[in-house]
Amino acid sequence: MSIKTYCALIFGALILAACGGESYTEVEITEQERSYRQLLGVPDHFSLPHIPEFNPPTIEKIDLGHFLFYDKQLSANQTQSCASCHVQELAFTDGQARPFGSTGDRLTRNSQGLGNAAYHATFTWSNDGFLNLEDQLAVPIRSDNPVELGVTEAKVDEVLARFDADPVYRKKFAAAYPEAESGATVTKIIYALASFCRTLISGSSPYDNYLLGDDSALTDQQKWGLQLFNGEKFECFHCHSGLNFSVSYRDNNSDPATQTFPFFNNGLYNVDGTGSYPQEDQGLYDLTQKLQHRGLFRPQCLRNVAVTAPYMHDGSIDTLREVLEHYARGGRKVETGIYQGDGRLSPLKSGLVRGFAATDDELDAVEAFLESLTDDAFISDPAFANPFE
Ligand code: HEC
Ligand code: HEC
């Protein structure tokens, strides 16, 4: 929702309240929205992210989630926490192409940044069934293939008992869930972590300051890069637009009737000439088994992208410059090895990845613009830092 609509709603609600009209619920919704915005720290120029009704945020849940996020007791062998793969200074990525789980399993995918993740329409690099953060979080906690935190069926009681045995956590769980039976459960852990993740909002980059009227927040080169990014030659904005630079977007006012769940093949691979991706990860196809879904991934949020290398779902592109060259070529050519093939010729590649001739100066400008999305306040905000230190 735009700031204007937001103000209009509040204003309308005030009039209704003053007239003692029957639309009382509308007043309630607006007050609730205001309190959620404050709780999550949503900047004025952002909408409220989608929050499922079953998990309203509270200070206590966010606090519990913050501690759990950094606590290695949440892995079965106590060697890893969420923060092992989601490091604040790296906008909650980990600098690795593909991370290792707590027992040494190598994951097939690159750790995603969590800044503004709450605004995505679906979660993970490619899953059209994860529509709430809560759906996704069971995976790192519970998965046994590959193991991440390793809280498998065999280990779950042991892990929960750790929190029940700790007086500080007993208090925090009771405060976060005053109505529930006392004690830790996987659901309570997931709801608290989701609430904390919803507070990870990045909205004070130089680009934001520019949007808010500070013309000097971007250099001339960055402004040119922004124009190129949003122009028909580079075409980036068709898939990376809006507050999150991703057309996979949902906020609290998104209309379910028109909500979309977009996924694209951006020509990273063409292993067999018919558009296949490497066997171990073919994107949406792995869930749907529809051949035309090979290589479909969600356009990633580009905020803080300058600190989240390496890039793409498998971390197979090292630098932003190489990402730009990939798009300029209209797909990637893998020259050697078992995945060789020319992504530009893939029959499954999106028609929006067409390739274009760009000068070095133009590529420099788009790269400089992407650097303006780095939000130093976000990646150093003590509210998101390790609370045990
Ligand atoms: C071993 C590394 C690892 C650990 C530990 C881990 N993650 Fe992740 N995280 C990933 C990877 C890899 C992905 C992408 C998964 C995919 O696409 O299937 C991801 C994706 C996510 C997403 C989705 C983001 C988006 O934009 O859709 C969220 C949210 C998330 N992780 C939060 C957490 C939380 C909270 C924890 C702790 C309970 C956690 N992660 C533990 C590696 C990890
Ligand atoms: C057809 C839609 C589409 C277009 C057009 C597009 N992208 Fe993407 N972008 C994606 C998808 C999908 C991914 C994830 C692909 C994957 O991981 O396999 C992605 C990933 C990226 C990433 C990696 C993000 C990360 O954290 O790893 C960057 C950077 C990026 N795009 C920048 C751009 C730029 C710059 C342009 C314009 C030159 C552009 N994109 C055009 C869909 C698109």
Side-chain angles (χ1 to χ4, degrees):
M1 174 164 65
S2 72
I3 300 176
K4 262 191 201 149
T5 333
Y6 176 60
C7 296
L9 254 184
I10 292 188
F11 187 54
L14 285 176
I15 292 179
L16 284 171
C19 304
E22 276 172 59
S23 308
Y24 191 59
T25 46
E26 196 163 341
V27 178
E28 271 182 356
I29 288 167
T30 304
E31 277 174 0
Q32 184 191 63
E33 168 154 357
R34 202 183 346 211
S35 100
Y36 286 180
R37 292 180 72 91
Q38 202 179 15
L39 211 49
L40 302 183
V42 180
D44 287 345
H45 64 300
F46 278 22
S47 301
L48 183 66
H50 166 69
I51 298 167
E53 265 173 41
F54 59 79
N55 189 19
T58 61
I59 284 192
E60 293 80 7
K61 262 191 236 171
I62 294 167
D63 172 67
L64 173 63
H66 187 186
F67 276 81
L68 290 169
F69 188 90
Y70 283 95
D71 198 336
K72 291 186 175 163
Q73 292 189 86
L74 188 54
S75 57
N77 63 9
Q78 308 196 55
T79 59
Q80 249 189 8
S81 69
C82 308
S84 305
C85 301
H86 298 289
V87 180
Q88 184 182 12
E89 299 82 72
L90 302 177
F92 296 98
T93 59
D94 60 9
Q96 305 185 56
R98 291 158 43 215
F100 292 90
S102 59
T103 56
D105 287 358
R106 185 142 196 215
L107 308 197
T108 54
R109 290 186 180 165
N110 180 254
S111 298
Q112 288 177 298
L114 301 184
N116 299 349
Y119 290 94
H120 277 296
T122 63
F123 296 94
T124 77
W125 284 102
S126 191
N127 189 319
D128 61 352
F130 286 168
L131 304 187
N132 287 305
L133 278 170
E134 286 80 355
D135 304 330
Q136 190 272 328
L137 291 180
V139 177
I141 299 175
R142 303 283 273 154
S143 166
D144 56 9
N145 183 26
V147 167
E148 296 185 47
L149 297 177
V151 187
T152 55
E153 212 39 47
K155 295 284 184 180
V156 64
D157 289 340
E158 181 188 329
V159 172
L160 294 176
R162 284 177 202 151
F163 297 109
D164 286 338
D166 179 333
V168 176
Y169 269 114
R170 274 213 303 276
K171 244 194 199 155
K172 286 188 185 296
F173 273 95
Y177 302 100
E179 259 122 67
E181 301 273 298
S182 59
T185 66
V186 173
T187 303
K188 286 180 187 174
I189 288 172
I190 287 176
Y191 283 20
L193 283 167
S195 299
F196 173 64
C197 287
R198 288 196 176 94
T199 68
L200 300 176
I201 296 179
S202 172
S204 46
S205 65
Y207 167 75
D208 292 286
N209 296 336
Y210 176 73
L211 279 190
L212 292 170
D214 177 0
D215 193 54
S216 67
L218 297 190
T219 63
D220 287 341
Q221 187 194 30
Q222 288 172 326
K223 286 176 200 165
W224 184 37
L226 169 59
Q227 268 175 23
L228 290 167
F229 184 93
N230 284 331
E232 291 297 336
K233 179 157 105 176
F234 277 67
E235 307 257 35
C236 313
F237 71 104
H238 286 294
C239 302
H240 300 281
S241 59
L243 84 77
N244 230 15
F245 294 93
S246 173
V247 289
S248 172
Y249 177 81
R250 181 183 186 189
D251 67 29
N252 212 36
N253 300 300
S254 298
D255 179 355
T258 54
Q259 178 69 56
T260 56
F261 306 103
F263 296 91
F264 298 95
N265 177 318
N266 72 351
L268 269 191
Y269 294 99
N270 183 11
V271 173
D272 53 5
T274 70
S276 287
Y277 271 43
Q279 199 77 55
E280 77 251 19
D281 193 355
Q282 301 232 49
L284 199 59
Y285 166 81
D286 292 341
L287 295 174
T288 65
Q289 299 293 307
K290 292 189 178 139
L291 282 173
Q292 70 272 27
H293 289 172
R294 282 171 293 164
L296 288 188
F297 290 88
R298 187 192 76 184
Q300 183 62 359
C301 166
L302 299 185
R303 284 182 173 272
N304 300 296
V305 71
V307 302
T308 68
Y311 301 107
M312 305 297 168
H313 69 277
D314 56 357
S316 62
I317 299 188
D318 285 332
T319 64
L320 277 180
R321 185 54 157 229
E322 289 164 290
V323 170
L324 293 177
E325 284 162 1
H326 153 80
Y327 284 113
R329 191 179 179 281
R332 178 172 62 181
K333 187 166 190 182
V334 180
E335 309 261 9
T336 54
I338 51 172
Y339 303 141
Q340 61 180 289
D342 191 346
R344 180 166 56 184
L345 306 177
S346 166
L348 298 180
K349 187 188 70 169
S350 162
L352 294 165
V353 180
R354 289 185 306 194
F356 47 84
T359 63
D360 276 345
D361 283 348
E362 287 174 324
L363 295 177
D364 287 346
V366 175
E367 202 176 330
F369 159 65
L370 291 172
E371 282 161 9
S372 80
L373 300 176
T374 303
D375 180 348
D376 290 325
F378 173 71
I379 59 179
S380 62
D381 189 337
F384 309 138
N386 188 343
F388 297 103
E389 275 167 9

